[in-house]
Amino acid sequence: MPKPSAATTPFHLVYGGDSYLNDQTVRDLKHEAQRRYPDAETIELDAANADHYAFDEAVSPSLLADRAIVIVTNLQNADEKLGDAMVSYCRQACKEPADACIVICQHEGGVKGKRLVEQLTKAGAYKDAVADLKKPEAKLNFVMQCFERRKRRVEPMAAQQLVAVLGDRTGELAAMVGQLCFDFDDNPMTLDRVNQYLTSNPQVDGFRVADLALSGRTADAIIAMRSSVEQGTAPIALIGALAMKLRTMAKASAVRAGTISTAEAKTNPWVLKNATRQLSGWTSSGMSACIQMLACADEQSKTNGSDPVYALERSIELISRKGRAA
């Protein structure tokens, strides 16, 4: 049997990867099928509770339409009879695609249901293997692609800021790109525009405060910190962001010294490059002093009767002096 192509096969298998991208791939395939066959009926089945009778009925001609677009979710939970029915239909549909229903199966990945995935692939199904976006580079590329899909560009540091704040929440990341493109005409999208929309996020405020402190602008950093706290940001959130910034700088220092490799740092190259630029004047003892001070501030923010804002202010002062005593 010829190798199936995405454009011609009536049977698609969307497999694994990032859950948001997996859902998006299913949506894209469904919309394309609906565009090609506007009169087709769309039927959705959940393999966790649908049986082979429901599938056979879905792919059979009906009074409403000769062709259906059948979406089968949770394929990994299909029982043996449902799986057999799907493999049999897949084999038949791929031999005679002109009159076949469009079937789009969604599998979350992993070992469960892997045998059925192999059977469907051998029967002619086109397997869409979804990216997992676990590596920082993959997340950065995803952001770039989100802008490109809207025929827009984004500054590298602006893209990195989006990844740094929303990289673990792909759906929110994509939604933020869409909102930025809808609200602003900047091309490329700038870091200032991105920060304008992320100022309510404590991680962004923490990065901004850290950058001010690292630049030696102690007063500006403290003003920014107090303003953020007054707007409702918890001090512990700012402490966490500051600590993350210093940990990244510590990794950059270790990479520069040859103690660890870039791969072992497990940090996006853009972040490491930026952190390396800020290492001038820092010593290991100074970095250690700042991290210990932030740990004390973190402890005070979790203890009744303490003053976490004051502890955070002292941490900022120490960071602005690169960890040196006053």
Side-chain angles (χ1 to χ4, degrees), residues 51-86:
D51 56 23
H52 63 289
Y53 296 113
F55 178 78
D56 287 340
E57 182 179 354
V59 296
S60 299
S62 70
L63 296 175
L64 297 177
D66 292 333
R67 186 193 310 267
I69 299 168
V70 183
I71 314 295
V72 182
T73 59
N74 294 312
L75 183 66
Q76 68 278 355
N77 294 322
D79 62 27
E80 186 174 351
K81 289 185 177 180
L82 173 57
D84 289 343
M86 295 177 72

Side-chain angles (χ1 to χ4, degrees), residues 38-291:
D39 296 329
E41 179 185 8
T42 300
I43 302 171
E44 297 191 6
L45 300 175
D46 186 341
N49 49 47
D51 56 23
H52 63 289
Y53 296 113
F55 178 78
D56 287 340
E57 182 179 354
V59 296
S60 299
S62 70
L63 296 175
L64 297 177
D66 292 333
R67 186 193 310 267
I69 299 168
V70 183
I71 314 295
V72 182
T73 59
N74 294 312
L75 183 66
Q76 68 278 355
N77 294 322
D79 62 27
E80 186 174 351
K81 289 185 177 180
L82 173 57
D84 289 343
M86 295 177 72
V87 172
S88 176
Y89 182 78
C90 178
R91 190 176 293 111
Q92 173 193 333
C94 291
K95 286 180 180 178
E96 302 174 359
D99 300 320
C101 292
I102 303 299
V103 180
I104 303 167
C105 300
Q106 184 177 30
H107 191 291
E108 67 179 12
V111 177
K112 189 176 181 182
K114 187 176 180 180
R115 179 171 174 271
L116 177 55
V117 170
E118 292 173 349
Q119 289 177 323
L120 287 171
T121 304
K122 288 180 181 178
Y126 182 87
K127 183 178 178 181
D128 289 279
V130 181
D132 58 24
L133 295 190
K134 289 182 179 179
K135 294 183 178 179
E137 294 84 354
K139 295 176 183 179
L140 191 62
N141 288 335
F142 171 71
V143 172
M144 300 287 193
Q145 290 167 6
C146 284
F147 279 97
E148 288 171 1
R149 289 180 69 167
R150 295 169 174 82
K151 302 186 186 304
R152 302 285 287 278
R153 292 176 296 119
V154 59
E155 290 181 352
M157 290 308 297
Q160 182 53 60
Q161 183 75 309
L162 287 167
V163 171
V165 177
L166 299 172
D168 293 330
R169 304 187 293 279
T170 312
E172 292 182 36
L173 190 57
M176 179 59 72
V177 171
Q179 194 65 48
L180 284 165
C181 290
F182 181 80
D183 290 343
F184 302 114
D185 294 328
D186 302 51
N187 196 26
M189 194 67 64
T190 64
L191 178 61
D192 287 341
R193 286 297 194 196
V194 168
N195 283 339
Q196 184 176 337
Y197 263 33
L198 294 176
T199 50
S200 61
N201 188 299
Q203 196 171 18
V204 173
D205 276 355
F207 289 160
R208 184 162 57 91
V209 170
D211 284 335
L212 289 170
L214 289 166
S215 300
R217 297 164 60 184
T218 311
D220 290 338
I222 291 175
I223 290 171
M225 177 273 291
R226 289 191 173 276
S227 175
S228 181
V229 170
E230 288 172 5
Q231 292 174 24
T233 302
I236 192 171
L238 294 174
I239 291 167
L242 285 164
M244 181 184 299
K245 186 81 173 182
L246 287 178
R247 283 196 298 270
T248 302
M249 288 182 64
K251 288 181 180 180
S253 178
V255 169
R256 190 172 67 176
T259 307
I260 62 173
S261 66
T262 303
E264 289 172 326
K266 296 181 179 179
T267 304
N268 191 285
W270 286 103
V271 177
L272 276 178
K273 187 175 180 180
N274 192 45
T276 302
R277 292 196 195 101
Q278 298 174 313
L279 285 174
S280 179
W282 280 90
T283 63
S284 296
S285 58
M287 189 79 67
S288 176
C290 289
I291 291 174

